[in-house]
Amino acid sequence: MNNYTPKIRFQNYEDEWIDSTIGRHISLLNGRAYKQEELLDDGKYKVIRVGNFNTNSKWYYSNLELEENKYVNKGDLLYLWATNFGPEIWTEGKAIYHYHIWKLEFDKTDINQDYLYIWLESDKNKIQQNTNGSTMVHITKNMMEERRISLPSQEEQSAIGSLFRTLDDLLSSYKDNLANYQALKATMLSKMFPKAGQTVPEIRLAGFEGEWENIRLGDCAIIKGRLGWKSLKQEEYTEVGPSMIAGKHIKNGVIDWGEVDHIPQWRYDESPEIMLENGDIIFSKDGSLGNPALVSNLKVEATINSTMMLVRLDKKVSSQFFYQVLTSSVFQKLIYLKVSGSSIPHLFQADMQDFRFYAPCIEEQRAIGLYFSNLDNLINSHQEKISQLETLKKKLLQDMFI
């Protein structure tokens, strides 16, 4: 056996890691191969299939009584070995599992389940790719048994497993909260804006009443874009200088200023009509339509590229409110009409001039805008935290294993 140590490890652990193989420590138990007609809509046992972990496929059931090793119980470690790959821990009660899933039975006590789970997760990308980089259809039992694994002491395994379990629990919590906030926003967008044929919303903030006004955007806004940017070529881009924003620089309504392009000062100066100001709303008018952003806290000279459009509202309409209009079904209907049957979707300035939406008085607009702005901040903070945790986990997976 060969001895190794990882790049990063906990303090007080100095023993070298032992090189071994999966098959020396666990047995891979296949589940049962089912025919579709054997699967029931209801029954005594859930039947776990690969799709239930990866695509939220429909759950099926069975009443069959099998040998005990054909069942899984809460806490058992499973491995999906066909089509999709990777470890899963079963969190429910007694169930039957499909042939394309292994149940991992521990033959020895020298390997920690949490450690093995995270090691299998770190290893699955290598399994998915062969030497040519193409995706494998499956991995055989013999191939898995012969895969080499590096093992520290049981105590260090437990520490590593506990760390990644904590990371996974945090990620799961943030993802659950994110999904809840996103669902809440979708619900409130549908209820806090009037439905087709109506002039008041289903849900309203306290203290406001009266019908909403149907507004034509061209009557309350300056709408600008720049076709071709006066022959601006990519080779003119600079390392520094005024920022130029494209749709790819906007994620979830936020401009990534660290990724924007830069142009010479004279290029910025030649098009004053699209110089950005705080309160402007920009969005993609070509290709992937929409994806709006509200410009705020602007600290640099900035403009938009030729695929973008700018809306600058007058005092009749709140920018925060109108940004939410552009995330609602009202604007999505316009996008749908432009995309349907079009090989290269495009929003023209005339489309936006004639775009109509309902709006209440400016005070209610501001209140609605603030409500959704706070919700967006929660969503973005959770997405940022998830990204940070996933980056941290990826780094630790690279450096804490051999």
Side-chain angles (χ1 to χ4, degrees):
M1 294 185 178
N2 297 317
N3 293 329
Y4 305 91
T5 56
K7 186 175 181 180
I8 295 176
R9 68 194 305 189
F10 289 103
Q11 290 183 345
N12 303 322
Y13 293 107
E14 298 178 352
D15 294 341
E16 291 186 321
W17 291 27
I18 297 173
D19 180 48
S20 187
T21 60
I22 290 288
R24 292 177 182 172
H25 306 275
I26 60 171
S27 295
L28 307 172
L29 306 181
N30 275 110
R32 190 178 188 278
Y34 276 89
K35 296 179 181 178
Q36 187 66 32
E37 56 266 25
E38 294 180 307
L39 301 175
L40 309 175
D41 289 331
D42 195 13
K44 186 175 181 180
Y45 303 111
K46 268 189 174 182
V47 178
I48 310 168
R49 300 179 303 152
V50 172
N52 295 127
F53 289 116
N54 296 280
T55 60
N56 294 319
S57 296
K58 176 182 176 180
W59 283 102
Y60 286 100
Y61 298 80
S62 173
N63 292 322
L64 291 177
E65 298 296 338
L66 307 174
E67 300 173 39
E68 196 59 33
N69 64 5
K70 295 299 182 184
Y71 296 105
V72 297
N73 292 284
K74 185 176 181 180
D76 281 345
L77 179 57
L78 308 177
Y79 195 91
L80 286 56
W81 58 264
T83 307
N84 296 293
F85 296 88
E88 299 284 348
I89 294 178
W90 182 241
T91 59
E92 300 185 33
K94 192 173 184 178
I96 299 171
Y97 63 108
H98 189 261
Y99 179 77
H100 289 144
I101 299 172
W102 291 317
K103 180 172 70 171
L104 277 58
E105 188 172 84
F106 291 73
D107 298 335
K108 299 181 180 180
T109 59
D110 59 355
I111 188 166
N112 175 278
Q113 178 168 302
D114 285 342
Y115 175 84
L116 180 60
Y117 172 86
I118 200 65
W119 184 90
L120 289 169
E121 187 174 326
S122 70
D123 185 62
K124 68 182 180 183
N125 288 334
K126 299 173 187 176
I127 292 177
Q128 286 175 314
Q129 301 295 319
N130 65 17
T131 54
N132 295 321
S134 59
T135 302
M136 299 172 65
V137 176
H138 70 280
I139 179 172
T140 67
K141 184 178 292 188
N142 185 58
M143 290 166 64
M144 177 57 83
E145 288 171 341
E146 292 181 354
R147 289 197 74 74
R148 308 206 71 81
I149 181 171
S150 298
L151 296 173
S153 67
Q154 268 275 22
E155 187 179 0
E156 190 170 0
Q157 287 181 45
S158 179
I160 293 169
S162 178
L163 169 66
F164 282 97
R165 181 180 282 270
T166 300
L167 274 176
D168 285 340
D169 287 346
L170 275 173
L171 274 168
S172 178
S173 176
Y174 276 107
K175 287 178 179 178
D176 286 345
N177 286 336
L178 173 62
N180 290 336
Y181 286 131
Q182 289 173 327
L184 174 61
K185 180 174 181 180
T187 298
M188 298 311 286
L189 280 173
S190 69
K191 294 181 180 296
M192 290 183 69
F193 287 82
K195 290 180 170 58
Q198 299 181 359
T199 58
V200 293
E202 182 180 342
I203 293 178
R204 206 156 189 180
L205 296 174
F208 297 104
E209 58 184 18
E211 294 188 345
W212 288 27
E213 179 184 356
N214 185 259
I215 295 176
R216 177 179 175 271
L217 182 61
D219 295 335
C220 61
I222 297 171
I223 304 167
K224 293 292 182 180
R226 170 62 66 190
L227 182 63
W229 245 91
K230 298 181 179 178
S231 301
L232 175 70
K233 298 177 176 61
Q234 189 164 354
E235 52 264 33
E236 294 183 62
Y237 292 1
T238 59
E239 292 294 324
V240 295
S243 298
M244 185 175 68
I245 303 165
K248 64 182 179 181
H249 304 135
I250 299 172
K251 185 175 182 181
N252 303 313
V254 178
I255 300 168
D256 187 345
W257 292 101
E259 295 294 325
V260 298
D261 298 314
H262 297 276
I263 57 174
Q265 185 70 42
W266 72 270
R267 278 296 197 181
Y268 170 80
D269 292 337
E270 74 176 354
S271 296
E273 72 279 6
I274 52 173
M275 294 176 179
L276 295 183
E277 300 176 4
N278 286 321
D280 287 346
I281 295 170
I282 58 176
F283 56 90
S284 297
K285 66 181 178 66
D286 291 312
S288 298
L289 306 182
N291 189 27
L294 171 60
V295 179
S296 61
N297 299 317
L298 189 62
K299 298 177 181 179
V300 297
E301 293 179 321
T303 185
I304 53 176
N305 80 353
S306 61
T307 67
M308 304 292 289
M309 193 176 292
L310 176 155
V311 173
R312 184 171 295 153
L313 297 148
D314 64 20
K315 294 182 179 180
K316 185 177 181 180
V317 179
S318 158
S319 294
Q320 281 192 340
F321 173 82
F322 186 70
Y323 169 78
Q324 299 302 333
V325 171
L326 295 187
T327 68
S328 72
S329 60
V330 178
F331 187 56
Q332 295 307 311
K333 289 178 182 177
L334 174 61
I335 290 177
Y336 175 78
L337 292 174
K338 300 302 294 185
V339 170
S340 298
S342 175
S343 58
I344 306 178
H346 183 84
L347 276 172
F348 295 94
Q349 288 188 35
D351 297 322
M352 295 309 297
Q353 289 281 349
D354 290 331
F355 174 61
R356 304 194 75 92
F357 61 98
Y358 280 88
C361 67
I362 190 66
E363 291 80 13
E364 188 172 1
Q365 288 181 42
R366 288 170 181 155
I368 292 170
L370 180 61
Y371 171 84
F372 281 105
S373 176
N374 290 335
L375 197 50
D376 285 338
N377 288 338
L378 277 172
I379 289 171
N380 288 331
S381 68
H382 276 71
Q383 287 169 327
E384 183 178 352
K385 194 65 177 180
I386 289 169
S387 178
Q388 291 172 349
L389 287 170
E390 287 177 337
T391 299
L392 173 61
K393 182 178 177 180
K394 183 178 179 180
K395 176 65 174 173
L396 292 176
L397 285 172
Q398 290 173 345
D399 292 345
M400 293 189 74
F401 292 88
I402 299 172

